[in-house]
Amino acid sequence: MEKLEKNKIYTQLVSKCNYELNQESAHIITLINDVVDESCSLSKTIIKHMPEYTLHDETHLFRVLMIMERLIPESTLLLLSIPELMLLIITAFLHDIGMAPPEDKVKAWKRIWNESEPTEEELNEFSKFNRFRDTFPNKILEIEKLRNNDHFSQATLIEDYIISEYIRSTHEERAREYIALNWADKLLYKDKNLSYEVSKLCFSHGANALSLLELETNVLCDESNFICLPFIGVILRLADILDFDAKRTPSVLFSHLAVKNPVSLKEWQKHRAVQSWIIKPDKIAFHAKCSHPAIEKSIYDFCDQIDKELINCNNVLSRINDDFRDEMGFYRIPLPPKVDRSKILPEIDILTDKPIYIYGHL
């Protein structure tokens, strides 16, 4: 609650609810608190099956909400409707819920059946995973070779890596399933059920940004409150990708989680190198001191990904309009065309006062 109450989106929601809804406001605030509480609890289990990935725990969820606050100008925040403010908070906390799969699904992927014979549901889950696993033929050959030579722990490490990749690449669909199963009749604004809109938005953060143009710009919730789904989708995907610094990869975890996969290692080091950033509606800049040119390169590559998101999201916002509302300009927030990279630099040697390496994009 202390973290929530410091966020402008949450305080604006509480203020509007108290002013516009009176007695009904208590239900909405309770709903938001329940979503935040359950999401934070489930996020703690992500590391169980994805120990080598940058963290997607409650710290990430609150930082996504904080970055949302920084991306939205004050003038736009004041004009957003209660259901739009609700969706910003709810999607910030539910978008990665698919990264914490149910234990029975993970067991099915590993062919660990609850009974002596697998059920139809377990076979179906394994079949879906196995189709994904077959896309790693070299890894499969490596696993078989290791097992034939009795190197079972190394073989298990590679199997776990494939499972981690499967969780990551399918988590948007699992988030949609989780919302349908656990929140379908609870995500209410007055009589309007928002679970469909929440599921669409959570799914969209892993899809192409331009797919947001297919979402409704005028979901009517009551006589005066609309939701512009493409706007919420833009803010969600930008806030998610911009959570990119050392606080998601604490040094103590980096030291104690024997990170063995080179791709994962690069991700950890990339996040640890970023020391601070500026995120405003019209400026995004990362400050990083890099210990190796490969880390600097990976940060530049990540900035390139953000640049593509900014171009596509600017495109989406510029095309927001509909036949029901005349004034839609406040959704067209100023986004910078690209990330400022001027402060991504090598570490400086204390004795020589010179960079520890010379970077070249070769």
Side-chain angles (χ1 to χ4, degrees):
M1 283 306 302
E2 186 179 348
K3 290 179 181 178
L4 267 181
E5 288 168 357
K6 291 178 180 177
N7 184 268
K8 290 181 182 178
I9 298 173
Y10 181 80
T11 56
Q12 176 70 1
L13 173 65
V14 173
S15 175
K16 281 206 167 192
C17 283
N18 292 337
Y19 180 73
E20 296 180 24
L21 299 180
N22 298 320
Q23 290 89 354
E24 292 182 54
S25 65
H27 163 75
I28 290 175
I29 302 306
T30 300
L31 169 64
I32 295 297
N33 296 343
D34 288 346
V35 169
V36 172
D37 187 51
E38 183 168 318
S39 301
C40 289
S41 296
L42 278 173
S43 70
K44 290 178 172 63
T45 69
I46 292 172
I47 200 168
K48 180 177 181 181
H49 300 296
M50 307 185 73
E52 295 187 0
Y53 275 81
T54 52
L55 298 186
H56 286 74
D57 61 7
E58 67 179 81
T59 304
H60 169 57
L61 304 181
F62 274 103
R63 285 163 65 79
V64 167
L65 185 64
M66 180 267 289
I67 294 170
M68 284 180 167
E69 168 193 284
R70 295 190 177 205
L71 287 170
I72 302 172
E74 190 82 25
S75 56
T76 297
L77 188 63
L78 294 172
L79 293 173
L80 295 179
S81 68
I82 290 174
E84 286 175 327
L85 295 167
M86 289 174 64
L87 286 190
L88 283 169
I89 300 171
I90 290 170
T91 57
F93 283 88
L94 289 182
H95 75 283
D96 272 345
I97 206 73
M99 300 283 263
E103 196 63 28
D104 60 336
K105 288 184 182 289
V106 180
K107 285 183 176 180
W109 302 337
K110 295 181 176 182
R111 287 179 287 186
I112 301 172
W113 319 123
N114 290 324
E115 304 292 340
S116 56
E117 292 294 326
T119 64
E120 185 176 341
E121 186 177 347
E122 287 174 327
L123 286 173
N124 184 48
E125 272 299 325
F126 174 71
S127 177
K128 287 191 290 185
F129 167 71
N130 205 40
R131 285 197 295 272
F132 176 84
R133 186 177 181 272
D134 286 342
T135 63
F136 294 85
N138 293 334
K139 297 286 184 189
I140 293 170
L141 287 173
E142 191 176 352
I143 290 166
E144 291 173 355
K145 185 177 179 180
L146 287 167
R147 283 179 177 158
N148 290 335
N149 292 314
D150 295 335
H151 298 309
F152 297 109
S153 60
Q154 290 172 272
T156 300
L157 180 70
I158 299 171
E159 285 281 14
D160 290 344
Y161 165 73
I162 295 175
I163 288 176
S164 294
E165 280 292 287
Y166 185 64
I167 292 172
R168 184 190 62 78
S169 63
T170 58
H171 80 279
E172 299 95 349
E173 182 59 46
R174 238 179 344 271
R176 187 155 62 180
E177 293 171 1
Y178 175 84
I179 292 162
L181 187 64
N182 296 280
W183 292 98
D185 301 319
K186 301 174 185 175
L187 301 178
L188 301 175
Y189 166 76
K190 295 185 177 181
D191 295 327
K192 173 67 176 175
N193 188 331
L194 299 175
S195 58
Y196 174 75
E197 285 76 14
V198 170
S199 68
K200 290 285 285 185
L201 289 166
C202 288
F203 184 79
S204 74
H205 91 278
N208 187 293
L210 296 180
S211 67
L212 293 173
L213 292 169
E214 300 169 9
L215 301 181
E216 287 187 70
T217 58
N218 52 14
V219 178
L220 183 62
C221 298
D222 61 20
E223 64 276 4
S224 58
N225 280 296
F226 289 86
I227 300 172
C228 180
L229 294 178
F231 175 79
I232 308 294
V234 162
I235 299 299
L236 173 63
R237 65 189 300 122
L238 285 178
D240 185 46
I241 198 172
L242 285 170
D243 181 20
F244 168 47
D245 67 23
K247 291 181 181 177
R248 282 181 72 188
T249 54
S251 296
V252 65
L253 286 179
F254 182 77
S255 300
H256 286 81
L257 290 175
V259 181
K260 299 165 185 171
N261 181 273
V263 175
S264 299
L265 183 61
K266 186 174 74 171
E267 287 296 306
W268 282 89
Q269 291 174 327
K270 177 179 67 181
H271 283 284
R272 290 181 78 247
V274 177
Q275 298 176 326
S276 59
W277 36 245
I278 296 168
I279 296 177
K280 299 191 292 185
D282 58 349
K283 186 176 183 66
I284 295 172
F286 290 115
H287 292 225
K289 295 294 185 183
C290 305
S291 59
H292 192 282
I295 297 174
E296 185 169 344
K297 172 68 164 63
S298 69
I299 294 176
Y300 283 136
D301 289 347
F302 199 85
C303 288
D304 289 343
Q305 292 180 42
I306 297 172
D307 287 349
K308 289 177 184 176
E309 283 292 322
L310 288 168
I311 291 169
N312 289 331
C313 287
N314 266 313
N315 191 358
V316 170
L317 293 178
S318 69
R319 294 162 69 176
I320 289 177
N321 61 74
D322 64 57
D323 299 329
F324 291 84
R325 289 186 284 174
D326 295 328
E327 182 49 57
M328 301 286 285
F330 65 92
Y331 291 121
R332 301 185 186 99
I333 61 174
L335 293 175
K338 62 188 302 183
V339 175
D340 184 333
R341 298 158 166 78
S342 60
K343 297 294 184 180
I344 300 170
L345 301 165
E347 288 181 4
I348 302 297
D349 186 291
I350 297 174
L351 296 175
T352 64
D353 199 31
K354 293 181 180 180
I356 62 173
Y357 64 84
I358 297 172
Y359 181 81
H361 189 68
L362 308 175

